[in-house]
Each structure stands twice: as structure tokens, then as C-alpha cells.
Amino acid sequence: MSVSALIRRGTPQPCRPVPRHLLAPEDFARLPVALLEEPGVALLSMWAEPGFVHVALLEEASATLLLASSPAEGGRYPALSPARPGAVRFERMIRDLWGLQAEGAADLRPWLDHGRWPLTAPLSARPLRNQVPAEQPVFLPVEGEGWHQIPVGPVHAGVIESGHFRFTVQGELVVRLEQRLGYNHKGTLGLMLGKSPRTAARFAARLSGDSTVAHSLAFAEAAEAATATTPPPRAIWLRAAMLELERIANHLGDWGAVCNDASFAWPQARCGLLREGLLRANFEAFGHRLMMDRVTPGGVAAEPMPSGIAAILAALAAVEAELPALAAVYDSHASLQDRVVGTGVVTAALAAGFAAGGVVGRASGRGFDARLAFPNGPYAGGPPRLALREEGDVDARLRVRAAEIPESIRLVRRILATLPPGEIYAPLPQQGGEGLALVEGFRGEIVTWMALDDGGLIRAVFPRDPSWLQWPLLEAAMQDNIVADFPLCNKSFNCSYSGVDL
């Protein structure tokens, strides 16, 4: 039986834009085998509620979303990680937060819970007081001779997020890299529960600061889907402009940072100057450099200032004028090319197996972009041209970013030139419902699911950052590379720590 047929055997639950099917445990147990037989069905996300586990899948060829749930009888459910390796960290997270265990899982070590929380399984129906002393983290064993380990983090040089990396090396060659995250856990899901979407939107905007627009938009669209609310057209177009401005700023930052980690500081200085000009224009237009809290459920918080629109167009013109020179400098320095070409390769098979989105996926041949698969607003009338590479190395990831910048500039100009008139906000009704949203942030697609109770308050929510499915690929990319290449590989991915630590 196909995956879609198996899921549709379940009882449909009202959810927009597609129903969520409640499967009997025995049918959910058949999912791993069905997934093994259909590699074209991607795992998008997994999460839970007390007593239930949920999964979001995507039939890639038809861009069809599939949502499935199952009761976790006795606190257990069949693991999907034997069929989809991207499920591993979701299953570890579900065990930490909800106390539900995946039977037959590939890995059940703690993920978010480092043994220092006052309660275990804090989002379960009955959290228990933690009375066990915290233990040292367990890393995967390594067999053979002549290897040693290098621990890095969780505290790093510079102002970056905290995360631990354990390198197993032979000489300078990396045999294995393993990550340990969770140091930025903030209890965000618990903080959102019982609040209105408008109040909880501030938490979504702070899940990962460099993706504040993308996470806010996915959260808002999930709330709007749950309540069958359609924002005004002007708000939809302003949101798209902000989303593309966020993409340009982050791609510029990453372009410069990759070059800097190869000891070539000039591109970082130039990219930093261009990015700063764009952020100042954002502030003049929207009142915040990162446009935080400007996207709200129902629309946007305020109209952009006319002088700010002019400042944005001027900043975009400055970026566009310098892109050819930046590309020429990047291409012409042999020492830089030597560091990035062939370094940190992610194969097409791995990118497809983990359903990696964004730059990481598109640099390895996986041509998925939520703006193309599920277009709305300005994307429906003029979608971006897809930047796709096959090499899967640091160079390919940088070139995908560089190709996306002029596309986003083109989109912002068209959006600002054709903004529909009218209102910018539509209030959400205080009612129950359930919704799912996909938004293409600069890292890839964000998948946010939300369920509201009859009073319109959040009963359950799960925002899935793209980094959930990209962090494991960084581990794979570092194999057979040297330790000194880790900053290059890490920055070429630029995964979010905070976005997965929730």
C-alpha cells in the first residue's frame, strides 16, 4: 500500500490546508515499510502532544502534503528513523519533551534534556520531578587505532550560539563529527501554550533571530489557516517583501563569512557594508533592523514609511551594483578556490534522504523551494528562478546564495512597485481550529503546525526550523575533511542552534 493510501485510511481530522489523518496504531506501524518503498516521500517534520505523535510528509513529485497522527499507547509509538534518517533527532526531542518513546529507533539518547531540568518530559500530561543527577553526554563509539578526539564548545570564540562538537580524528583527518545541541533550550513551546496567536507571535519571532520574519510568517500563516482567516492582499505582499529582504541580508552575511573563514577578509568587509546599508533601510522603513514583530497573525504591524521604501530601493541598487565585482574577486583568487571547491561535500543521495531544503539541498541537486511548490501572493504571479547546483560542496552552497540575491532583489522591486492598496490587518476570530504553513526562509522551508482550542488559544504548536534536517548533513560533510575546514563547512551551512533547541 502506498504511503498516501495508508495515511488516508485514517480518520480525517479538520486541518487546513490539508486534513490530518488519525491512524490506528497498527496502521502507523506500517508507515516505516511504506516509506522505505517510496523514497519520493519526504519527511518534513515530527512532533507530539500528550499521548499522540504527529508526522508531516511531502510527496515531492506532486507537492502533496500528508499529515498523519497516531495514539502513543503506553507512551510508545513505532519509530520512523529506520526508514527516514531525518526522524532521528525528532524522535529524541519527542522523548525529551513529551516522554513518548519511539520503538525500534536508530538513536534514543537525550537531545534537548541535558539532565538539568527540574521536570522530566515537561510537555507531557504528567511531568515528573527530576531526581537523577545529570550525566555526561554519551557519544557514538569509534573503533580502530590512531585516532583521538577534539571537543569544541559549547562556548565558542566570538558572539555565536552555543553548541558542542566532538571531532574524532586521525591526524588532521576527521573520521567522525558529532554534535550535541540543546544548550539554547528556552521552553518556547511551553511558553506559547494557552496564549492567543497574537500574544505568542513574539516567541515565534525570537526562535531564531536571523529568521525572525520567516518564523513569524510561518506562525502567522498557521494561525490564519487554523481560523480560516485571509489577510488583506497588501499585507501579504508586504510580508513577501520583508521575507526577501531578510534573505538578501543573510545571504550577504554568509557570503562574507565563508570567505573570512578561508582567511580572506575583504569580501566579508564589503558584504558587511552592503548588509549594513540594507539593515539601516529596513529600520527606516519598518522601525526595526531585522523587522522583528512586524509580521503578525492577520497581517503586518504597520505601514512602511515612504522614505524607508526609497532607502530600501537605494540599498538594493548598491548591492546589485557590487555583485559582479564580488563574484569576480571570489572567482579569481586561487587560494580561496582551493579552500572551498571540493570541501564539505553533501551527496545528492544524502540531501534527498534527509529532505534537506534551502541552500544545503539546492547545492546538492534537490530542487525544492516552498515559494515554487506552494506559491501565494506575489509568488503566484512571478515565482523566483531556482538556483540549483550539483557539486554539494562549500563552493556550491556559496554560489547558490550568490544566485539567489539578485532574484530576491528583483522580487522586492516588483512587490514594492505593485503593492495593492487597502488594509494591512484582519483580526483573527476567537475560535478553535488547526492549521499548517510552509514558508521558504533563507535557510529553507519552515513548517509550522498549530492547534487552537475553542477559545482561540494555542492548545499545541510546533515550529520546525530547516536546521532540523540540515545539522546531520554537516556531520556527514566533515567526514574525510581536515579539522581546519570545519569553520568553512559550518558557515556554508549556517544552521540555527536556537531554532532546533526550542
Side-chain angles (χ1 to χ4, degrees):
M1 184 179 295
S2 69
V3 172
S4 60
L6 179 59
I7 287 175
R8 292 186 175 108
R9 286 182 61 174
T11 305
Q13 310 295 307
C15 179
R16 302 181 186 90
V18 295
R20 175 176 56 85
H21 289 82
L22 181 61
L23 274 63
E26 57 269 21
D27 283 337
F28 195 86
R30 296 188 181 101
L31 261 183
V33 173
L35 287 169
L36 283 173
E37 294 176 353
E38 289 191 61
V41 177
L43 172 72
L44 288 182
S45 184
M46 285 183 72
W47 66 97
E49 289 184 79
F52 289 87
V53 64
H54 308 299
V55 59
L57 302 167
L58 173 71
E59 286 186 336
E60 297 203 54
S62 61
T64 301
L65 289 169
L66 299 168
L67 299 181
S69 303
S70 177
E73 295 181 338
R76 297 177 179 273
Y77 64 95
L80 299 186
S81 51
R84 291 292 182 272
V88 168
R89 298 189 180 186
F90 291 121
E91 290 170 353
R92 293 170 69 178
M93 174 269 299
I94 288 170
R95 186 182 185 213
D96 284 352
L97 293 182
W98 286 279
L100 306 179
Q101 182 155 318
E103 291 188 308
D107 190 348
L108 275 180
R109 291 172 295 161
W111 180 247
L112 295 175
D113 188 353
H114 291 197
R116 290 175 171 82
W117 296 350
L119 300 174
T120 61
L123 297 183
S124 64
R126 295 181 179 178
L128 300 176
R129 186 169 298 281
N130 181 20
Q131 298 178 335
V132 179
E135 299 179 355
Q136 289 295 317
V138 177
F139 293 92
L140 297 175
V142 178
E143 297 179 356
E145 297 181 357
W147 58 266
H148 64 282
Q149 290 190 328
I150 304 173
V152 177
V155 178
H156 302 273
V159 184
I160 64 173
E161 296 177 276
S162 50
H164 180 80
F165 299 92
R166 184 66 58 98
F167 296 86
T168 301
V169 300
Q170 287 181 321
E172 274 289 294
L173 200 66
V174 177
V175 178
R176 170 182 287 151
L177 166 65
E178 192 173 358
Q179 304 141 2
R180 183 74 168 99
L181 304 183
Y183 299 94
N184 301 289
H185 175 71
K186 305 170 289 295
T188 302
L189 300 185
L191 290 170
M192 289 180 172
L193 298 182
K195 295 180 174 64
S196 69
R198 189 167 178 83
T199 299
R202 290 181 60 82
F203 297 111
R206 288 154 181 80
L207 278 166
S208 188
D210 53 11
S211 299
T212 181
V213 172
H215 268 295
S216 295
L217 182 52
F219 182 90
E221 288 188 356
E224 290 154 8
T227 57
T229 301
T230 301
R234 185 174 180 84
I236 293 174
W237 285 59
L238 283 170
R239 289 170 165 186
M242 286 187 268
L243 186 67
E244 297 305 320
L245 289 168
E246 181 174 79
R247 191 184 322 278
I248 297 166
N250 282 304
H251 282 351
L252 284 170
D254 289 346
W255 185 344
V258 168
C259 294
N260 188 64
D261 282 338
S263 300
F264 190 22
W266 183 86
Q268 185 181 41
R270 298 307 303 170
C271 287
L273 179 65
L274 295 172
R275 181 176 182 271
E276 176 63 22
L278 189 58
L279 297 184
R280 292 184 181 189
N282 289 343
F283 181 83
E284 187 169 347
F286 300 105
H288 196 285
R289 289 164 58 87
L290 302 180
M291 299 168 287
M292 187 172 284
D293 299 324
R294 293 322 183 246
V295 175
T296 62
V300 295
E303 284 276 5
M305 297 294 292
S307 62
I309 298 295
I312 286 173
L313 294 174
L316 293 179
V319 173
E320 187 176 53
E322 192 150 351
L323 286 179
L326 280 169
V329 169
Y330 175 78
D331 287 332
S332 62
H333 280 67
S335 59
L336 176 59
Q337 293 296 304
D338 181 65
R339 293 296 308 279
V340 298
V341 175
T343 300
V345 173
V346 175
T347 65
L350 270 178
F354 278 84
V359 169
V360 174
R362 291 193 282 274
S364 295
R366 183 173 182 262
F368 180 79
D369 188 317
R371 296 172 297 174
L372 299 175
F374 305 101
N376 68 344
Y379 299 121
R385 290 184 287 269
L386 193 66
L388 203 62
R389 306 284 297 194
E390 302 290 339
E391 301 88 344
D393 55 6
V394 171
D395 176 64
R397 290 187 282 276
L398 192 150
R399 291 183 186 278
V400 169
R401 286 184 170 92
E404 289 188 356
I405 291 172
E407 273 299 288
S408 291
I409 291 175
R410 181 183 66 83
L411 284 169
V412 173
R413 283 176 173 158
R414 183 171 68 84
I415 291 168
L416 295 181
T418 56
L419 274 176
E423 300 295 325
I424 59 171
Y425 176 74
L428 269 61
Q430 292 184 338
Q431 65 183 46
E434 187 175 321
L436 183 85
L438 273 79
V439 168
E440 186 72 23
F442 88 98
R443 284 192 179 93
E445 79 280 358
I446 293 168
V447 184
T448 299
W449 171 85
M450 183 185 301
L452 304 176
D453 63 20
D454 290 340
L457 303 180
I458 296 175
R459 189 194 81 227
V461 63
F462 189 73
R464 193 276 281 165
D465 190 89
S467 303
W468 278 100
L469 299 171
Q470 296 171 0
W471 274 118
L473 295 179
L474 176 59
E475 294 181 342
M478 274 305 298
Q479 289 183 9
D480 299 327
N481 286 266
I482 62 174
V483 175
D485 283 336
F486 175 68
L488 272 173
C489 294
N490 191 24
K491 180 48 67 177
S492 74
F493 275 71
N494 191 14
C495 296
S496 173
Y497 300 72
S498 179
V500 301
D501 287 349
L502 296 176

